[in-house]
Amino acid sequence: MAEEIVGQLHPGTALDAGCAVGFLVKSLCDRGVDARGMDNSEYAISQIPAALRDRCWRGSIVDELDGEYDLITCIEVLEHLDARDAPGAVANLCRHARAVLFSSTPDHFDEVTHLNVRPPHYWAGLFARHGFYRDLDFDASFVSPHALLLRPAASPAEAVAAYERWYWEARRELEGVRAHRDLLHRQVDEALREREEAVAERQALLQTKTFRLTSPLRQAWSRTRQTRGRAAHSGPQPAPLTYLDWVEHYDSLEEAGKRELSGRLERLARRPRFSILMPTFDPEEEHLRRALDSVVNQIYPEWQLCIADDCSTTPRTREVLEEYRRQDPRVEVAYRRRNGGISRASNSALELADGDYLVLLDDNDELAAHALGCLALELDRHPDALLVYSDEDKLDASGHRVEPYFKPDWNPPLLLGQNCLSHLTCFRRQDVVAVGGFRVGMEGSQDHDLALRVAERAAPSQIRHLPLVLYHWRMHPGSTAASLGAKPSATSASRRAVVDHLRRTKTPAEVLPAPARSGNRVRHRPPQRLPSVAVTVFGDLLEAAERTVGDLVPLTTYPEVHMTPSAASLFRRAPNQMPETGPVGRAEVGDELVCSVAAGVEVMDENWLRELVAEFADPEVGIVGARLETREGRLARGPLALGPSGEVLAPLDGVERNQTGSFGRAWLVHDVGALSPGCLAIRRSVLDEVGGTFSTAGFWQVVELCLRVRRAGYRIRWTPYSRLGIVDLRWLSMPPPGPGARAAPLPDGLRARYHGLLETDPGYSSNLSLEPGRCFDLAWPPRRPAEWSFLGHHADPTA
């Protein structure tokens, strides 16, 4: 609980009201919070550890508290009070807290000390009397399913608007679930009917005279049909192509490829030395040997394996390590005297390292035989690189390669949402030493934390991505490769790593869980002076445009917004819809941002414009796009991916609201190649710089604008948290025509003009397909640069 509280809420001061023997107080103090505790039980207070006695005291929650706290936790306490005392206790909490984390089990009627068992809405009503309302974006289920985080609202109107938003989102989702349930029921009924008909037909067949008389013939046929079957087929039937087929054709290193790679490596003028850091603790012997062999068998010889054993309890581990150390002088081993966890063990391995670059390897995983060689080639081409990372896949229980993660090129917001670098990552040793190595307390996400700290020192051009699978991550019980839930502390540590990164970079933001536990959500805090935004509505259908403007004006909470004259004129056509006051006015040249919204779009979240504007806190961002959903909860308009031959794909369109998409991408902020013209915003200064007008009435105009902005050095960003709805997809009469489908190819003029930008897409790997209906599927063949031609057969198995 303390990890979640610190990782998500970051309180400076906290009070645990009903602290018992002080476990939560101690855990919060251990994580840097100035935490206190109180409890009405004399016995409980007497059991408080000596180190906490000056922080905990005996007291009743109905007595006036001292001081103010960023957070008061009150967990399973108030139900012990008489019902007459509950309102006063709630008022007491609200007077002294900026936020209250509250839980009271609604059905514990059998506990004799529970005098006031009530449902959550009873307690929410008491808190509402004092202006405290549930934070609907905060998931407090790590405390209990019925827990609430309550904060003061600026006004009742703001609280009501938030509850209405939550209600309508839940209602839309429920309608979708009900529709799916009804469909399943119909399918089951149809299957049962067909089964009954089939059973009846079978029974009728069994009763026929022909069936009984032909029984001997059928038995004879049964004995010979296998032989007949083999003779009847001229060859094997084609099987569906799999990832293993892809590996065989495009990611296998045959003898000719090994000779070519070795020849290239021998001709290198600069031969960097790699120190491979491997902390070990009780690995399975077979897995440990395979990990060690994957290093010893590297084609590139300039390496040093630095192993730090963290007091393994099995003697066999030491025997295996000593065996490899004796066989190869490049293997060095340090044996720690005390078990300290993976961060301390990794630092012990770092102390052994003397190479130019560091590579991280877990004691169960494997490197591809060409991994270090590919790193050496990349570093020869880019000697100023601080950080290089590759694609990865997993090894199942049988040792087969599965679940590849084909990563995009350097994508800063995606690294905040998840550790998209992960394996294999190569760092300059001097940078890792300069940032202090691995941080204790970040166990489970120590690599993510290190990558963030090193990336802070690098220019974007100094972070390189190899579109090659160079690391094989073993799936075994207890590993996050098998399940993210295997190490829940890793999720919390990842969140804290991002919080610390934001603090170091002076980025005012908070870090929350992304929906469906797909990663982290960084919610930027608005600056004191909000940038002004001009909003325009485009589209040929007047009715749809009027509807959109009538929705945007009263339901958009962002204060510094102006409707353009063309949008404002739509109200004059329907004055009965126009509010007496609102953000309708003439857009001024001084507006810092310009936002374009398609006709037919409706507001799903009143903070949609705040979320768009928030992403411009990054000065490298030029355009930001929103998430458009259908009423059924399906993503209708998301980012675009562009291919070198002019392909245009909408890889996330069609993903359901409760789905995360490929590796969580549907609910993670990330940089992309281009945007659809449903809703997007651009800096006015960038618009002036790249030239032209913000004409979003056409699909290709928007795509070209994105390409112009990228060519000027700015990023195109997509956020799923700026949420708008579209009532009728026909109102968006523009390609791509449907979920997962591909639009018409990029016009020849645009392809020629922006050919260099189309070679790689910042949000979509060259190993992924650009074919319609195969988004995030394997590319046959991959669109790799020529320098990696020594890999694979390079023959199309689909031909």
Side-chain angles (χ1 to χ4, degrees):
M1 286 173 57
E3 286 188 355
E4 293 289 346
I5 288 170
V6 173
Q8 298 189 53
L9 299 176
H10 333 302
T13 57
L15 172 68
D16 186 16
C19 66
V21 296
F23 287 146
L24 183 57
V25 175
K26 181 180 185 304
S27 297
L28 289 171
C29 289
D30 290 345
R31 288 159 178 79
V33 180
D34 182 7
R36 312 283 169 168
M38 57 168 290
D39 198 283
N40 199 36
S41 168
E42 183 177 356
Y43 173 77
I45 294 299
S46 70
Q47 302 301 306
I48 296 286
L52 293 178
R53 285 177 185 165
D54 62 336
R55 292 183 169 271
C56 300
W57 62 89
R58 183 184 177 191
S60 171
I61 201 169
V62 299
D63 297 333
E64 190 68 26
L65 300 174
D66 291 328
E68 293 187 359
Y69 300 90
D70 295 332
L71 177 71
I72 294 181
T73 57
C74 184
I75 300 170
E76 308 299 323
V77 174
L78 292 192
E79 65 270 22
H80 294 274
L81 298 179
D82 187 279
R84 293 168 296 184
D85 293 328
V90 169
N92 197 14
L93 295 175
C94 295
R95 283 194 296 272
H96 296 273
R98 296 182 180 89
V100 178
L101 184 57
F102 176 81
S103 173
S104 178
T105 304
D107 54 5
H108 276 188
F109 296 100
D110 53 348
E111 172 58 54
V112 295
T113 64
H114 289 183
L115 307 177
N116 193 27
V117 177
R118 301 281 187 161
H121 64 260
Y122 164 83
W123 300 110
L126 292 183
F127 279 97
R129 296 178 186 178
H130 308 281
F132 275 64
Y133 297 90
R134 177 204 283 263
D135 183 339
L136 296 168
D137 294 321
F138 186 86
D139 181 6
S141 61
F142 64 88
V143 175
S144 68
H146 43 270
L148 314 170
L149 179 70
L150 302 120
R151 301 181 191 263
S155 67
E158 182 183 32
V160 169
Y163 276 105
E164 278 294 303
R165 171 177 58 82
W166 185 86
Y167 167 77
W168 282 105
E169 288 177 0
R171 180 167 175 171
R172 286 192 184 101
E173 187 168 351
L174 180 60
E175 288 173 354
V177 171
R178 285 173 174 167
H180 188 60
R181 178 202 62 190
D182 293 343
L183 174 63
L184 292 177
H185 284 171
R186 290 194 297 271
Q187 291 175 342
V188 169
D189 291 342
E190 179 66 16
L192 291 175
R193 185 186 62 77
E194 292 177 355
R195 178 180 179 276
E196 291 174 357
E197 292 177 354
V199 169
E201 290 176 2
R202 178 177 179 275
Q203 289 300 114
L205 176 64
L206 294 176
Q207 300 302 319
T208 62
K209 181 183 295 185
T210 302
F211 185 85
R212 293 195 301 272
L213 293 176
T214 56
S215 178
L217 180 61
R218 287 196 309 277
Q219 293 175 5
W221 174 256
S222 178
R223 289 191 295 270
T224 61
R225 64 182 176 181
Q226 185 173 4
T227 303
R228 288 175 176 270
R230 283 196 298 266
H233 290 82
S234 58
Q237 297 298 304
L241 294 171
T242 66
Y243 176 54
L244 290 180
D245 296 319
W246 190 92
V247 168
E248 179 184 353
H249 284 83
Y250 305 124
D251 201 56
S252 297
L253 195 63
E254 299 180 336
E255 288 303 319
K258 291 179 181 178
R259 289 194 297 271
E260 181 183 346
L261 175 58
S262 297
R264 292 191 197 180
L265 294 172
E266 289 174 0
R267 293 191 294 272
L268 288 179
R270 175 173 172 261
R271 295 173 63 81
R273 177 174 165 85
F274 297 99
S275 294
I276 303 164
L277 308 186
M278 179 192 284
T280 62
F281 179 73
D282 284 350
E284 292 187 24
E285 181 178 345
E286 178 187 357
H287 296 165
L288 176 60
R289 287 184 177 276
R290 292 187 67 89
L292 296 170
D293 288 340
S294 76
V295 177
V296 172
N297 296 328
Q298 285 294 304
I299 295 172
Y300 183 73
E302 301 297 330
W303 56 262
Q304 169 200 25
L305 179 56
C306 306
I307 304 172
D309 184 69
D310 199 23
C311 296
S312 290
T313 61
T314 54
R316 188 61 183 156
T317 298
R318 186 170 189 139
E319 294 172 5
V320 171
L321 296 179
E322 285 299 304
E323 174 188 332
Y324 279 80
R325 187 180 63 81
R326 289 192 299 269
Q327 292 175 356
D328 195 320
R330 295 173 294 179
V331 178
E332 300 184 36
V333 187
Y335 296 99
R336 291 177 49 81
R337 296 181 179 180
R338 179 183 300 176
N339 180 271
I342 191 169
S343 293
R344 288 188 174 91
S346 297
N347 283 330
S348 295
L350 177 60
E351 292 174 1
L352 299 174
D354 59 14
D356 307 295
Y357 295 90
L358 303 176
V359 174
L360 313 183
L361 176 64
D362 290 346
D363 58 8
N364 295 290
D365 303 342
E366 300 177 26
L367 298 178
H370 50 285
L372 299 184
C374 292
L375 287 175
L377 292 176
E378 183 71 7
L379 291 168
D380 182 64
R381 284 188 291 271
H382 303 279
D384 63 337
L386 271 65
L387 192 158
V388 183
Y389 66 100
S390 77
D391 294 345
E392 64 188 80
D393 61 15
K394 297 175 183 176
L395 300 172
D396 64 15
S398 302
H400 296 136
R401 291 173 56 180
V402 296
E403 297 184 25
Y405 183 10
F406 295 131
K407 307 167 188 176
D409 288 345
W410 172 232
N411 206 307
L414 189 59
L415 183 60
L416 301 184
Q418 62 176 210
N419 185 9
C420 59
L421 306 188
S422 194
H423 308 305
L424 169 145
T425 308
C426 170
F427 304 93
R428 278 197 322 196
R429 182 170 65 89
Q430 67 188 64
D431 295 311
V432 174
V433 172
V435 300
F438 298 86
R439 284 206 297 166
V440 176
M442 291 296 177
E443 286 74 14
S445 286
Q446 71 283 344
D447 298 354
H448 191 187
D449 175 64
L450 179 62
L452 287 167
R453 287 183 286 131
V454 172
E456 292 165 14
R457 302 166 56 90
S461 62
Q462 293 178 298
I463 301 178
R464 306 295 306 172
H465 169 225
L466 298 182
L468 310 172
V469 182
L470 302 182
Y471 194 101
H472 312 304
W473 192 9
R474 190 173 304 280
M475 303 166 66
H476 61 88
S479 76
T480 51
S483 169
L484 287 175
K487 293 181 179 179
S489 61
T491 302
S492 177
S494 170
R495 206 164 294 143
R496 284 186 280 116
V498 174
V499 168
D500 290 348
H501 163 77
L502 296 172
R503 185 181 299 120
R504 288 190 301 269
T505 57
K506 296 180 173 56
T507 304
E510 60 181 331
V511 184
L512 306 171
R517 300 190 180 276
S518 57
N520 303 322
R521 172 189 176 185
V522 175
R523 185 162 65 183
H524 295 273
R525 296 191 181 97
Q528 290 185 345
R529 192 192 69 79
L530 296 174
S532 58
V533 184
V535 176
T536 186
V537 175
F538 71 91
D540 298 330
L541 296 176
L542 179 60
E543 177 186 356
E546 289 177 346
R547 178 171 182 165
T548 294
V549 175
D551 207 46
L552 293 179
V553 171
L555 298 180
T556 299
T557 60
Y558 190 81
E560 294 296 324
V561 59
H562 309 94
M563 303 301 286
T564 60
S566 59
S569 68
L570 295 173
F571 278 102
R572 290 191 285 274
R573 298 177 185 271
N576 58 313
Q577 297 181 12
M578 184 173 175
E580 294 181 4
T581 59
V584 181
R586 184 176 181 83
E588 301 173 0
V589 175
D591 285 322
E592 295 148 273
L593 303 172
V594 182
C595 177
S596 176
V597 182
V601 165
E602 63 180 6
V603 174
M604 296 183 68
D605 184 339
E606 71 275 8
N607 291 318
W608 69 275
L609 188 53
R610 290 178 182 270
E611 294 291 345
L612 272 185
V613 173
E615 294 303 324
F616 288 101
D618 184 345
E620 295 184 354
V621 172
I623 300 181
V624 180
R627 173 190 179 101
L628 265 64
E629 294 183 6
T630 65
R631 283 185 168 178
E632 295 75 29
R634 192 174 66 249
L635 202 159
R637 286 292 180 267
L640 299 177
L642 307 178
S645 299
E647 301 92 342
V648 180
L649 197 72
L652 293 175
D653 284 12
V655 175
E656 300 290 341
R657 183 186 298 149
N658 60 350
Q659 296 176 338
T660 61
S662 177
F663 290 91
R665 197 72 67 82
W667 282 109
L668 294 173
V669 177
H670 59 284
D671 292 338
V672 298
L675 296 164
S676 291
C679 173
L680 50 127
I682 185 172
R683 295 182 196 271
R684 187 179 289 276
S685 60
V686 171
L687 185 59
D688 293 340
E689 179 181 344
V690 301
T693 60
F694 194 32
S695 173
T696 57
F699 182 82
W700 298 121
Q701 287 92 330
V702 172
V703 171
E704 183 180 12
L705 177 63
C706 291
L707 290 170
R708 290 208 314 268
V709 170
R710 282 177 55 195
R711 188 169 61 183
Y714 297 96
R715 295 183 175 273
I716 311 298
R717 187 155 296 175
W718 180 74
T719 171
Y721 302 111
S722 176
R723 296 178 57 218
L724 295 162
I726 180 68
V727 179
D728 191 337
L729 286 174
R730 291 174 297 181
W731 289 349
L732 293 179
S733 55
M734 59 191 74
R742 187 171 65 191
L746 205 66
D748 291 342
L750 295 184
R751 289 173 56 188
R753 198 175 309 144
Y754 301 101
H755 176 73
L757 288 177
L758 299 177
E759 289 299 320
T760 58
D761 186 281
Y764 199 73
S765 169
S766 59
N767 288 318
L768 295 174
S769 173
L770 289 169
E771 292 298 315
R774 295 186 53 228
C775 307
F776 288 103
D777 201 353
L778 302 167
W780 301 85
R783 303 175 298 282
R784 288 176 181 155
E787 54 261 31
W788 310 119
S789 59
F790 56 83
L791 278 172
H793 299 166
H794 308 288
D796 186 358
T798 64

